[in-house]
Amino acid sequence: MMQSKLDILLVNSMAPRQRIASDAALENSLATLRTYLEDKDFRAEIIDEQRISATEAGVPQWCLKLLQLIVRLQMKAYRLKVRFFWLILMLIGWPIQALSMHYRNQYLNGKIDDISQTVRDNNIHLLGIKVWYGDAFKWSKLLAAKVKSACPEVIIIAGGPQIKVYGEHVLHDTDFDVAIMGPGEEILEEMIVLDRQVNSKSEFLHRFHAEISQSRLVKSGIFQCGEAAATQQEQRYQHIIPRYRTVDLADKLLFHTLVDGVGCTWNKCNFCSHTRQAFYQPRPVQEIVKEFELMSRQGIGFFRFSSSETPVEHGRNIAQAILEKGLTVNYSMFVRGVKVTPEVYDAYCLLIQSGLRAVFMGGETGHDLINEKVMNKGIHQKELVDTINCIRLAATAVGKSCRIGLSLIYPTPVVDGVTLQDVFEENIRLIQATVPDTVIVNPPAVFPETNWMNNAVAFGFSIAPDFVYNLMQYEYSTYKPVELWGNLGFALQGKTTPELIKETGRLRSAITAMGIPTDISDECLMMTEATGYTTKADLLQFKNESLQDIMSGSNRYMREVIEKINAQGRRMANSKLHII
């Protein structure tokens, strides 16, 4: 039985299948909310089932083992291009996959019933749900509907990544009462105070809209309209360092997402949903280093910077502080291609010396005209190549490794005088010139409030009225066979969704043929390096084995890898405390 008289229950949404290898990472944002509220003398609890063992929960072992065998044979047949055998294996595996998903959905529906029972038994008035995309969004909608049916007086609050991308669309055809776009600490505090003053949900909502927000979508931090308003709130708001409990660490990948700043210094890309944010704001370096120290005391040695870009100068200052404190950490971050100078080179030397072990760079395309006219990326192929080479030279100079992930969008809209094949060839030239450790290839996606969405016709997109609704709950997987994607309700310059996905696969196959693994995230690059996966062959093995886990709904391989990662992270954290 959960503690009675909770002010708020916070729930992390669930999906039937693992999406990426780091799905079981520490849940920092909900822990941050709980920490903030506890410091204000409120009572909050978290339900988070995104754990290492959760992948297999609810599915009989015989079903998992059979799926593992079938998926292994499917992947081998696919690699050997034995299409007939692959099709037979797909047909054999289909009913087993369906049965596995049936068991998983039964399990997930049971979790919804358990949470609803908890809300009712503990007379909880406020329920916060961290909402993700795809099947996790469907699960969140079902949870909200179930809770509303069982406990109609409960206020249901949605937050998380899905809100930041889709905004008010998340409130359409759902039972969420309120959605928060941006930091939720202060708004939840206001809602708890208000809840203690009213006697009914209707009274709560009336006063909420009169005193806190006229809209059901509440924008906070740098998501507020106008830089002045966002700055005013940010000055009041201090980034909270989460206090993890023992239960938060159990059965988890001990990897912590650390807020190094919010936003992006460029913030003008035509395709990017981050443009909903008003501006970039770095976090004070002393706060970041304090968070490194506190996490190290809990045996955490791996970190990922959360901002969509860590500017070189801010990164240099963080690195200097890490070295001055004598911390032993590994971290990854998102970077932007820049004009390389001696100062940039020196900064990367310092960053790598301090523990930077992987970077993720959004290149989008190697075609300069497309990057300028279609992406509005603000950089050219030369800056991408020079920045990646600079990072490599810096790593060599300090004798440490720093892996590089490059992200591309393909296919893309094209302009007069440029063909899709031209873009394809320039992408290949970029990859040949940089030879990144991995390339992430994404198909074009059109998100609300982006220039691609607002000017869809000009960019060649054809978008159906229900496209956004479908996209929000579509379970995205680039490895799903093209035939199974269906039509999501959008096309690009005459190409349907399956045709676009097929073209994406063409570039991915060309990259794989170059011996470069695709679609490995930056945090996995960092952590696999630390556990002995040092070559591209090692990364290819990691990619294949982890993909088998994802496709079969298993944690067989990733459980072993995560055990190694956690052990290495603890050794790194303990080295600062002179335990080893």
Side-chain angles (χ1 to χ4, degrees):
M1 178 70 68
M2 188 168 287
Q3 174 188 353
S4 61
K5 297 183 181 178
L6 286 178
D7 290 298
I8 189 168
L9 177 63
L10 303 169
V11 176
N12 193 17
S13 57
M14 300 177 65
R17 286 288 169 86
Q18 180 186 28
R19 281 91 175 273
I20 57 175
S22 57
D23 271 357
L26 296 171
E27 179 41 61
N28 69 307
S29 61
L30 294 183
T32 298
L33 288 172
R34 183 185 62 201
T35 300
Y36 176 89
L37 294 173
E38 286 177 341
D39 288 345
K40 299 290 184 177
D41 293 325
F42 298 121
R43 296 173 297 278
E45 290 291 348
I46 295 171
I47 293 178
D48 174 26
E49 298 293 334
Q50 288 290 89
R51 300 177 187 271
I52 300 167
S53 61
T55 303
E56 298 182 350
V59 184
Q61 281 298 308
W62 69 263
C63 188
L64 286 169
K65 291 183 183 300
L66 184 55
L67 266 181
Q68 289 169 11
L69 174 62
I70 292 172
V71 168
R72 193 176 304 119
L73 292 172
Q74 285 174 347
M75 293 182 68
K76 185 174 182 180
Y78 185 81
R79 285 196 302 271
L80 295 175
K81 298 182 179 180
V82 188
R83 183 170 176 81
F84 179 73
F85 188 44
W86 176 78
L87 286 171
I88 291 175
L89 288 168
M90 289 291 290
L91 290 172
I92 293 172
W94 186 271
I96 310 300
Q97 287 279 9
L99 182 61
S100 171
M101 290 300 291
H102 170 73
Y103 284 124
R104 278 293 289 167
N105 284 323
Q106 279 190 322
Y107 174 80
L108 295 180
N109 289 338
K111 288 296 178 182
I112 288 176
D113 292 337
D114 291 344
I115 294 169
S116 181
Q117 185 74 32
T118 297
V119 171
R120 182 169 58 251
D121 290 350
N122 292 276
N123 192 29
I124 296 169
H125 292 178
L126 298 173
L127 173 66
I129 306 174
K130 183 175 181 178
V131 184
W132 295 88
Y133 66 92
D135 285 340
F137 180 54
K138 294 178 184 178
W139 185 88
S140 299
K141 289 171 58 178
L142 287 172
L143 173 61
K146 185 79 173 183
V147 169
K148 182 179 180 180
S149 175
C151 313
E153 287 294 300
V154 173
I155 307 297
I156 304 173
I157 309 153
Q162 187 84 331
I163 318 301
K164 293 177 182 178
V165 174
Y166 293 101
E168 59 280 352
H169 292 278
V170 174
L171 294 168
H172 298 165
D173 193 33
T174 66
D175 290 294
F176 305 130
D177 296 298
V178 175
I180 301 174
M181 178 187 285
E185 289 84 342
E186 291 187 350
I187 296 165
L188 291 180
E189 177 186 2
E190 293 180 63
M191 294 179 78
I192 291 172
V193 170
L194 177 58
D195 178 61
R196 292 180 173 184
Q197 298 172 354
V198 300
N199 296 313
S200 67
K201 181 173 181 177
S202 59
E203 184 184 358
F204 177 96
L205 292 175
H206 175 75
R207 289 189 55 183
F208 174 84
H209 291 307
E211 301 170 16
I212 299 176
S213 172
Q214 295 180 358
S215 171
R216 292 170 63 202
L217 176 67
V218 186
K219 296 181 180 180
S220 65
I222 65 171
F223 287 91
Q224 287 182 291
C225 297
E227 184 169 338
T231 303
Q232 185 178 9
Q233 187 191 34
E234 200 66 33
Q235 288 172 347
R236 299 199 319 269
Y237 172 73
Q238 293 292 316
H239 291 279
I240 306 302
I241 299 175
R243 288 190 297 270
Y244 291 119
R245 300 175 182 173
T246 301
V247 68
D248 300 327
L249 304 174
D251 200 23
K252 283 281 195 176
L253 169 59
L254 299 181
F255 142 65
H256 173 70
T257 300
L258 187 151
V259 177
D260 60 299
V262 287
C264 168
T265 59
W266 176 249
N267 207 35
K268 299 175 185 176
C269 293
N270 287 332
F271 57 87
C272 186
S273 62
H274 292 162
T275 52
R276 283 182 176 270
Q277 304 173 29
F279 62 103
Y280 173 78
Q281 187 166 61
R283 183 182 179 191
V285 171
Q286 63 270 23
E287 289 185 16
I288 294 172
V289 173
K290 182 181 178 182
E291 188 158 336
F292 272 128
E293 291 182 298
L294 291 176
M295 293 301 113
S296 292
R297 292 174 190 172
Q298 296 190 69
I300 300 165
F302 292 108
F303 301 85
R304 182 192 203 186
F305 287 2
S306 68
S307 68
S308 52
E309 175 206 355
T310 304
V312 174
E313 181 63 20
H314 187 44
R316 189 197 70 79
N317 294 336
I318 296 170
Q320 185 66 54
I322 291 171
L323 293 170
E324 288 174 357
K325 285 285 186 178
L327 297 174
T328 303
V329 296
N330 278 182
Y331 59 96
S332 68
M333 67 186 194
F334 295 86
V335 301
R336 179 175 167 82
V338 297
K339 181 180 179 181
V340 173
T341 63
E343 290 76 21
V344 170
Y345 171 77
D346 291 342
Y348 273 113
C349 286
L350 205 63
L351 280 158
I352 296 167
Q353 186 67 42
S354 73
L356 177 65
R357 291 294 173 267
V359 297
F360 177 93
M361 182 181 294
E364 318 321 338
T365 176
H367 198 291
D368 285 344
L369 186 61
I370 296 300
N371 247 346
E372 177 184 348
K373 300 294 185 182
V374 173
M375 305 292 183
N376 194 30
K377 186 71 180 178
I379 55 175
H380 298 90
Q381 184 174 140
K382 185 179 188 308
E383 280 118 4
L384 296 172
V385 173
D386 288 350
T387 304
I388 290 175
N389 287 338
C390 171
I391 295 169
R392 284 234 171 79
L393 289 171
T396 300
V398 301
K400 304 285 185 180
S401 173
C402 182
R403 286 176 161 171
I404 297 166
L406 178 67
S407 174
L408 300 176
I409 297 173
Y410 183 81
T412 72
V414 293
V415 297
D416 290 343
V418 178
T419 67
L420 204 53
Q421 184 60 27
D422 293 334
V423 179
F424 182 95
E425 291 172 1
E426 287 300 320
N427 286 340
I428 294 297
R429 289 191 185 96
L430 171 63
I431 295 165
Q432 289 173 334
T434 56
V435 195
D437 293 283
T438 186
V439 180
I440 296 178
V441 187
N442 290 309
V446 186
F447 297 112
E449 301 303 319
T450 63
N451 281 339
W452 274 12
M453 174 68 83
N454 295 339
N455 301 286
V457 174
F459 285 105
F461 291 105
S462 175
I463 301 175
D466 60 350
F467 167 67
V468 173
Y469 177 82
N470 291 333
L471 187 61
M472 281 194 298
Q473 49 196 355
Y474 188 78
E475 188 64 12
Y476 174 85
S477 173
T478 55
Y479 298 101
K480 187 184 298 183
V482 171
E483 295 79 7
L484 300 181
W485 272 74
N487 200 326
L488 285 177
F490 91 110
L492 170 58
Q493 294 174 329
K495 289 185 180 293
T496 63
T497 303
E499 290 171 329
L500 294 171
I501 299 303
K502 186 175 182 180
E503 189 66 22
T504 300
R506 183 167 79 97
L507 179 59
R508 186 179 293 112
S509 296
I511 295 167
T512 302
M514 297 165 67
I516 298 174
T518 59
D519 304 299
I520 299 176
S521 59
D522 58 294
E523 74 273 13
C524 287
L525 284 178
M526 164 188 65
M527 293 183 289
T528 51
E529 168 77 21
T531 54
Y533 290 71
T534 56
T535 67
K536 279 190 168 60
D538 291 333
L539 283 179
L540 285 169
Q541 179 191 352
F542 172 82
K543 167 70 181 299
N544 290 333
E545 295 283 353
S546 60
L547 182 57
Q548 283 186 40
D549 270 10
I550 290 171
M551 292 175 66
S552 63
S554 168
N555 59 35
R556 174 195 58 83
Y557 174 72
M558 282 311 304
R559 186 171 57 247
E560 298 174 3
V561 173
I562 289 172
E563 286 174 0
K564 293 178 182 178
I565 290 171
N566 286 350
Q568 176 64 9
R570 291 189 189 97
R571 284 193 290 269
M572 291 165 54
N574 291 339
S575 68
K576 169 61 180 173
L577 303 177
H578 306 292
I579 293 174
I580 62 171

